[in-house]
Amino acid sequence: MPFDMSLIQRGARLRRSAFFAATQRWGAQAYTVYNHTLFPICFGDLEEEYWHLIHHVTLWDVAVERQVEITGPDAFTFTNLLTPRDLSRCAVGQGKYVVITAEDGGVINDPVLLRLGENHFWLALADSDVLLWARGVALHAGLRVDIREPDVSPLQVQGPKAKEVVGALFGEDVLKLRYYWFLERSLDGIPVVVTRTGWTGEVGYEIYLRDGAKGDELWERIMEAGRPHEIRPAGPSDIRRIEAGILNWGADMTLDDNVYEAGLDRLVDVDKTADYIGKEALTRIRAEGVKRKLVGVEIAGDRLEFNAVKWPVLSDGIAIGRVTSAIWSPRLRKNIGYAMVPITHAALGTPLRVLVPEAGEREASVAAKPFLDPEKRIPKGR
Amino acid sequence: MPFDMSLIQRGARLRRSAFFAATQRWGAQAYTVYNHTLFPICFGDLEEEYWHLIHHVTLWDVAVERQVEITGPDAFTFTNLLTPRDLSRCAVGQGKYVVITAEDGGVINDPVLLRLGENHFWLALADSDVLLWARGVALHAGLRVDIREPDVSPLQVQGPKAKEVVGALFGEDVLKLRYYWFLERSLDGIPVVVTRTGWTGEVGYEIYLRDGAKGDELWERIMEAGRPHEIRPAGPSDIRRIEAGILNWGADMTLDDNVYEAGLDRLVDVDKTADYIGKEALTRIRAEGVKRKLVGVEIAGDRLEFNAVKWPVLSDGIAIGRVTSAIWSPRLRKNIGYAMVPITHAALGTPLRVLVPEAGEREASVAAKPFLDPEKRIPKGR
């Protein structure tokens, strides 16, 4: 039972992205809301969009990834205070996938951070008001920083033919970008930042538009460059991101889950000498170990439709955890997803039972993430 | 042209309110998203719901007004730091409509604040993550506070027959509540706080449920008590709130507008001696005067439908401001709303021109707020 309902928004509380008109013109069928902004998540059939992403190339309006921009003489020191990643290892021109942490180690957000200058950072945000968090922290931090939401609107170009599209628009240098690095470019006067990043595990790029008035023009230029490569507009693929082991903030982890519970250990640089918010808590948690953890799960049986309610994970008939995301993978021909479970049930292969509304109890087991090897893009084990 | 589109949300990123099942059962037709939570905004026809609110009584699920709860030995001092209102004048058992201000005087949120104890506060939030702001501020504030989102879910019971419904459920004492005061009650084991507040200018109450597991039970109890008074479920009435001069955070004011630009002068206690965030900025702005201001507007001609784009306010063909909200009032038989305009165009009666998409330019003028006297509930001037 997909969760499908009508949205009426007559007022101007929710924002439209710089690409809103383009997404309407190209037939967006459904929007959700993300960072107070309308987010096109489907242009037709979700499974068709998945296959198109796998075989060709897709264009997504992810301008809802609003940026927090941090500048000023102490911008490096301040930004380094917000995350367990050691930003002294992030060069100008480089990006990092980071967590923004609360003092108790909770995950406030998991943006892509770009370092545009020695003291110039962007955080491309998941769905929480990090602008308010950062400004609140800055209030008494004694550091000279300027924190604002700039006019920056990202698009994603994702899929095996993404290189051809981005190469045709921005030239060969962009194709040499290493994962998470970026280049600043101008496309006939349209100012952009092109990054080798994405939410898929496929080859992909993000194009950060720096002038919201040119959203329509940029969108059409990309669609034109992509025409020989069968580009089509699409929403973010929940199927592909789960296959790739990518988490969705707000669903798979929240402020109530710490970095280690979310299984994002690799985003903590344990040898970071500089202080950061949450360092004490995370050091303690690392020493003590976590009581629960987000794990990959495979749920047995035929195709399931996950809706907006997290399914209970049962042990002896009692709920011990929750499935946070689940989806049918058409390539694996399996129901895959994530669950937050007690650490006693987190080892690979642990059998679980999941209570699925309207489908009853299903056998499940803890499985390795990613479900599909991101390099070979074939089911693991083959 | 109403803004009407389908929302598909297959994942569990967006939250459901404690009353979600009840709103589905009672026929909610449309939802928007507010504080990361689904918000039922219509159960049928918006204008019918408006008339029902005026003549009878309506029940709204406003559990999206998530609370920030502040406790701990320094909770009073800390909460008093967040707002230009002087909370030393807020008794235990009393509430206040407040603004939460940034250091530059910008409006972060405009919650109803309830003081449940000397050092126990709730902020019933508009759509921004004040939890993150407050926790960020607390980080280096040197005050002993605990800040969290509690399990609290408000409902609104609004309309001239609201007294009968609330009286039947909670007794006579509740009917004696002065505006913005509250009582803690238990309804056969359902713990609630009943406040004399609302978003209408009609007589109304809010019932804050303190146990999310009892959402269904509370909803049904209220519907049952309201049956003799023709209660019906409804969404918040944009018509009625604009008639009453009530603002909608995110549309009529944002972080980019300061308190005086938003015209919320009455929410600043100029004689407040305690320090608070934004005090310096607001003192300066008050002395210098604002350059732009949110005013009431009447837009001439037949019925207009406001959509998600703020209409330009023109002077000599050039955009000088924006209409932030507008609606057809069936009682006034006029298009009324708000606009942010230069202070040179803010005096009552100033003629304006508004560029309405698909309707062309319309005559307009600056009008007094509220548009309908909240006491007499008849068009002003009659």
Side-chain angles (χ1 to χ4, degrees):
Chain A
M1 186 185 70
F3 187 64
D4 187 349
M5 44 179 57
S6 165
L7 168 74
I8 296 178
Q9 173 66 37
R10 297 219 295 189
R13 184 176 57 82
L14 299 177
R15 301 182 291 183
R16 291 178 172 192
S17 101
F19 312 108
F20 182 80
T23 62
Q24 287 276 291
R25 204 165 52 242
W26 284 87
Q29 296 295 308
Y31 291 75
T32 185
V33 178
Y34 200 98
N35 283 325
H36 315 280
T37 308
L38 292 164
F39 186 7
I41 52 172
C42 187
F43 286 73
D45 179 83
L46 292 172
E47 206 156 299
E48 265 174 40
E49 289 183 7
Y50 162 81
W51 287 115
H52 205 90
L53 165 65
I54 303 296
H55 292 304
H56 306 287
V57 55
T58 56
L59 175 63
W60 315 350
D61 170 10
V62 292
V64 297
E65 291 172 6
R66 304 311 300 158
Q67 311 298 305
V68 163
E69 179 173 71
I70 304 167
T71 53
D74 296 321
F76 169 77
T77 306
F78 181 79
T79 310
N80 205 23
L81 193 66
L82 299 181
T83 176
R85 275 259 170 138
D86 186 351
L87 298 185
S88 69
R89 295 174 206 160
C90 182
V92 173
Q94 190 179 5
K96 294 273 183 193
Y97 175 50
V98 304
V99 274
I100 305 298
T101 38
E103 69 288 357
D104 60 1
V107 182
I108 286 176
N109 204 289
D110 66 328
V112 169
L113 171 151
L114 299 185
R115 186 171 191 177
L116 290 107
E118 285 300 325
N119 281 299
H120 188 182
F121 295 86
W122 285 352
L123 305 174
L125 298 172
D127 181 32
S128 71
D129 294 337
V130 172
L131 182 63
L132 295 179
W133 168 255
R135 285 182 62 169
V137 170
L139 210 57
H140 303 114
L143 296 170
R144 294 158 302 162
V145 288
D146 200 42
I147 303 167
R148 66 187 195 106
E149 183 184 306
D151 174 10
V152 173
S153 302
L155 291 166
Q156 295 207 11
V157 179
Q158 301 284 316
K161 300 179 184 170
K163 276 185 181 288
E164 281 86 339
V165 180
V166 170
L169 287 166
F170 301 104
E172 287 297 310
D173 286 354
V174 166
L175 301 187
K176 292 178 204 145
L177 279 173
R178 280 172 289 160
Y179 203 37
Y180 273 89
W181 288 70
F182 65 87
L183 284 169
E184 302 188 37
R185 284 290 178 268
S186 174
L187 185 67
D188 298 331
I190 309 174
V192 297
V193 170
V194 183
T195 66
R196 176 68 185 80
T197 54
W199 210 61
T200 60
E202 298 292 322
V203 176
Y205 295 84
E206 285 181 276
I207 302 171
Y208 290 65
L209 172 64
R210 302 179 86 161
D211 177 358
K214 294 182 169 156
D216 238 38
E217 196 183 340
L218 177 60
W219 179 281
E220 294 302 334
R221 287 294 299 268
I222 297 169
M223 289 304 293
E224 195 186 310
R227 202 184 314 156
H229 311 288
E230 299 183 64
I231 198 170
R232 62 170 277 184
S237 175
D238 226 26
I239 309 171
R240 189 64 192 89
R241 72 102 185 163
I242 294 175
E243 287 178 345
I246 298 170
L247 306 187
N248 189 12
W249 191 91
D252 304 313
M253 61 187 157
T254 71
L255 185 56
D256 298 328
D257 307 306
N258 71 53
V259 181
Y260 291 110
E261 288 169 339
L264 294 171
D265 309 33
R266 71 184 191 280
L267 302 186
V268 181
D269 287 329
V270 294
D271 57 346
K272 178 172 175 174
T273 52
D275 198 20
Y276 63 85
I277 299 164
K279 188 176 193 176
E280 206 178 297
L282 289 175
T283 303
R284 182 179 39 78
I285 293 164
R286 191 166 58 244
E288 292 176 357
V290 292
K291 294 193 179 62
R292 60 198 180 103
K293 193 168 179 184
L294 191 79
V295 296
V297 288
E298 290 183 3
I299 306 170
D302 56 0
R303 181 191 179 115
L304 296 170
E305 294 288 344
F306 190 71
N307 60 15
V309 174
K310 295 178 183 178
W311 297 338
V313 175
L314 304 178
S315 178
D316 295 329
I318 291 166
I320 56 164
R322 291 270 168 189
V323 173
T324 61
S325 289
I327 208 145
W328 174 257
S329 163
R331 282 189 291 179
L332 294 170
R333 305 200 61 77
K334 277 180 185 168
N335 298 295
I336 58 174
Y338 310 121
M340 186 65 82
V341 295
I343 196 69
T344 50
H345 292 66
L348 281 183
T350 305
L352 302 170
R353 291 187 74 81
V354 174
L355 181 58
V356 180
E358 296 168 31
E361 285 188 31
R362 285 275 180 107
E363 304 280 346
S365 63
V366 176
K369 296 178 291 180
F371 296 90
L372 278 167
D373 186 317
E375 292 309 310
K376 297 178 187 158
R377 274 171 225 109
I378 51 166
K380 68 186 163 60
R382 282 193 195 170
Chain B
M1 187 186 66
F3 187 65
D4 187 349
M5 46 179 58
S6 166
L7 169 73
I8 296 179
Q9 174 66 37
R10 298 217 295 188
R13 185 176 56 82
L14 300 177
R15 301 181 291 183
R16 293 179 171 190
S17 102
F19 312 108
F20 182 81
T23 63
Q24 287 274 292
R25 203 166 53 242
W26 284 87
Q29 296 295 308
Y31 292 74
T32 184
V33 177
Y34 199 98
N35 283 327
H36 315 280
T37 308
L38 292 165
F39 186 6
I41 53 173
C42 187
F43 286 74
D45 178 84
L46 292 172
E47 206 156 297
E48 265 173 40
E49 289 182 7
Y50 162 81
W51 288 115
H52 205 89
L53 165 66
I54 304 297
H55 293 304
H56 305 287
V57 57
T58 56
L59 175 63
W60 317 349
D61 169 10
V62 293
V64 296
E65 290 173 8
R66 304 311 300 158
Q67 313 296 303
V68 163
E69 180 173 69
I70 304 166
T71 54
D74 296 322
F76 170 78
T77 306
F78 181 79
T79 310
N80 205 23
L81 192 67
L82 299 182
T83 175
R85 276 258 170 136
D86 186 351
L87 299 185
S88 69
R89 296 173 205 159
C90 182
V92 173
Q94 190 178 4
K96 294 274 183 193
Y97 176 50
V98 305
V99 274
I100 304 298
T101 38
E103 68 290 355
D104 60 2
V107 183
I108 287 175
N109 205 289
D110 67 328
V112 169
L113 171 151
L114 299 185
R115 187 171 190 177
L116 289 107
E118 287 300 326
N119 280 301
H120 188 182
F121 294 86
W122 285 350
L123 306 174
L125 297 172
D127 180 32
S128 70
D129 295 336
V130 172
L131 182 64
L132 295 180
W133 168 255
R135 285 182 63 170
V137 170
L139 209 57
H140 303 114
L143 295 170
R144 293 158 302 162
V145 288
D146 201 42
I147 304 167
R148 66 187 194 109
E149 183 184 306
D151 174 12
V152 174
S153 301
L155 290 166
Q156 297 208 9
V157 179
Q158 301 285 316
K161 300 178 185 171
K163 275 184 183 291
E164 281 86 339
V165 180
V166 170
L169 287 165
F170 302 103
E172 287 295 309
D173 287 355
V174 166
L175 302 185
K176 293 177 202 144
L177 278 173
R178 281 172 287 160
Y179 202 37
Y180 274 89
W181 289 70
F182 65 88
L183 284 169
E184 303 187 38
R185 283 289 178 268
S186 174
L187 185 67
D188 298 330
I190 309 175
V192 298
V193 170
V194 183
T195 67
R196 176 67 185 82
T197 54
W199 210 60
T200 60
E202 298 293 322
V203 175
Y205 295 84
E206 284 180 276
I207 302 171
Y208 290 64
L209 172 63
R210 300 177 88 162
D211 177 358
K214 293 180 169 158
D216 237 39
E217 196 183 340
L218 177 60
W219 179 281
E220 294 302 334
R221 288 294 300 267
I222 297 170
M223 289 302 294
E224 193 187 312
R227 203 186 312 157
H229 312 289
E230 299 183 64
I231 199 169
R232 61 170 278 183
S237 175
D238 224 27
I239 309 172
R240 189 64 192 90
R241 71 102 186 165
I242 294 174
E243 288 178 347
I246 298 170
L247 307 187
N248 189 13
W249 191 90
D252 303 315
M253 60 187 157
T254 70
L255 185 57
D256 297 328
D257 308 307
N258 70 54
V259 182
Y260 290 111
E261 288 169 339
L264 293 171
D265 308 35
R266 73 185 188 282
L267 301 186
V268 181
D269 287 331
V270 295
D271 58 348
K272 177 173 177 174
T273 51
D275 198 21
Y276 63 86
I277 299 165
K279 188 175 193 177
E280 206 179 297
L282 289 174
T283 303
R284 180 177 40 77
I285 293 163
R286 190 164 61 244
E288 292 176 357
V290 291
K291 294 191 176 66
R292 62 199 179 101
K293 195 169 178 182
L294 191 79
V295 296
V297 289
E298 291 182 4
I299 305 170
D302 56 1
R303 181 191 180 115
L304 295 171
E305 294 288 345
F306 190 71
N307 60 15
V309 174
K310 295 179 180 177
W311 297 337
V313 175
L314 304 178
S315 178
D316 297 330
I318 292 166
I320 57 165
R322 292 271 167 188
V323 173
T324 61
S325 288
I327 208 145
W328 174 257
S329 164
R331 282 190 291 180
L332 294 169
R333 305 200 59 76
K334 277 179 184 169
N335 298 295
I336 59 174
Y338 310 121
M340 185 64 82
V341 295
I343 196 69
T344 50
H345 292 65
L348 281 183
T350 305
L352 302 170
R353 291 187 76 79
V354 173
L355 181 58
V356 181
E358 297 170 28
E361 285 188 30
R362 285 275 179 105
E363 304 280 347
S365 63
V366 177
K369 297 177 292 182
F371 296 92
L372 279 166
D373 186 317
E375 292 308 313
K376 298 177 188 158
R377 277 172 222 108
I378 54 168
K380 71 188 161 58
R382 281 194 194 166

